[in-house]
Amino acid sequence: LDFIVPLDRQVISQTPNGFLQEKNKNFKLTGINKEIDAKDFVSVQFYQDWIKLREKNNLTLFDGKNKKMVDSDVDSIWFQNKIAFTKKEDSLIVHFNLTHSLTLDAASEIKFIKSVDSVKHFYASDTKKKTVIEITSGKKLFTLKANTIEYIGENIFLIDDEGKKGLVTEKGKTLLPSEYSAIILTDKKFVSLLKDKKFGLYDLKNRILIKPIYERNILPYSTEKLVAFKNGFYGFVSWELKEKSKFEFEEVNYWNDSLALIKKDTQWMLYDINEKEIVDGNIKDFRFVSNTEKEKIAIVHQHNFYGVISNRRGTVIPSSFNDILNLGTPESPIYFTEKFIEEADIHVVIYYNADGKLIRKQAYETNEYERIYCEDN
């Protein structure tokens, strides 16, 4: 029952590294070690496992986890992205952990490098040269001249040198020289290239380049096929730029690896890329019930009728109805279909489940049908 912190008129707060006492604008730490416990501080700052301790005539960086002093008699201390920085005379010291640090010139500018996910690197700049350093290991990766540096994944950095863009590896090796007007990450695997008003593509993982020769962005369609644009139309090409179709499509939407939903002569069609032929056509328009990587399901307006198709299961409901609505959800659709028999003035309503199996059917006269049909649905 001995007091760890004696009774007094003071404010006590618990920290990850012992108890902090505040009295008369002074601070004490209890529970660190004998040397620290015996001192009074003007201010105390906690950051991760780091502790910044300011005395009247001394500024100290302390490792709270290992309970050891890291650096003392420094001019300034600051923290960012789990790293501690200290300045002392002509040196800027970057502390990655208790045992690993990096000493730079005090005039160096530190900037953390933008990344598509978590920040993993920073650079220290001296005039226009920048040294890129990895945060976790503290390893110097490369030094080069650039205005800005950005990490885009796959151990590749995007650099800007006087307005021209290029790509380098984590060892500073040039993948693409700084000669592009724009390099834009389209997803985590590819970047779109722009040079002399022409578009190209670069595969970050496989390090494959398609030089800028097309009029619009090149779009990856599958592992083997790309969608390119020239002479006013879209077409399919391979990574070796061999044409896999004519350039004759107004629009191209992904359906599956072998079939594409293309628009030609104002009509939508399902196009077999390998066989280079139309397998289903005369689609005036369509709307997606579900549009995910798992499955694409669309209600199609074909000829003058409606049906439902899937990129995994083919035809779910044939195009033979005057109207189709999804009364369920995208994940679990229930289809309301209607066919009007003009001669008898009868509306035949059939409900289907997600697999296109009949649930219920019933015939209604027009005045009855108007009572069950709501256009807002």
Side-chain angles (χ1 to χ4, degrees), residues 207-226:
R207 309 286 170 92
I208 301 174
L209 169 65
I210 293 181
K211 294 182 179 181
I213 59 173
Y214 292 104
E215 299 168 16
R216 292 185 184 177
N217 278 323
I218 303 170
L219 305 174
Y221 189 85
S222 65
T223 54
E224 299 176 353
K225 302 177 186 70
L226 307 165

Side-chain angles (χ1 to χ4, degrees), residues 176-290:
L176 297 179
S178 300
E179 60 183 29
Y180 296 90
S181 302
I183 297 179
I184 299 173
L185 188 68
T186 56
D187 58 29
K188 292 185 178 181
K189 297 179 181 178
F190 308 100
V191 289
S192 178
L193 310 174
L194 176 63
K195 181 182 178 183
D196 299 329
K197 299 182 180 180
K198 296 290 185 179
F199 291 87
L201 189 72
Y202 188 76
D203 183 333
L204 297 174
K205 184 175 182 179
N206 298 303
R207 309 286 170 92
I208 301 174
L209 169 65
I210 293 181
K211 294 182 179 181
I213 59 173
Y214 292 104
E215 299 168 16
R216 292 185 184 177
N217 278 323
I218 303 170
L219 305 174
Y221 189 85
S222 65
T223 54
E224 299 176 353
K225 302 177 186 70
L226 307 165
V227 178
F229 187 89
K230 72 175 183 179
N231 301 324
F233 292 96
Y234 290 99
F236 292 94
V237 298
S238 69
W239 280 97
E240 295 78 25
L241 297 187
K242 294 180 180 178
E243 294 189 3
K244 295 296 182 179
S245 74
K246 295 180 181 179
F247 282 78
E248 57 182 357
F249 309 129
E250 298 160 25
E251 292 184 50
V252 176
N253 277 329
Y254 179 82
W255 192 243
N256 57 41
D257 283 357
S258 59
L259 296 178
L261 190 56
I262 61 96
K263 189 176 186 181
K264 181 181 177 183
D265 299 328
T266 72
Q267 294 284 318
W268 289 95
M269 310 167 192
L270 282 176
Y271 178 78
D272 189 316
I273 306 169
N274 296 323
E275 299 298 327
K276 300 181 181 180
E277 63 181 17
I278 303 297
V279 296
D280 201 359
N282 297 307
I283 299 172
K284 294 182 178 180
D285 54 68
F286 64 91
R287 62 183 187 274
F288 282 110
V289 174
S290 174

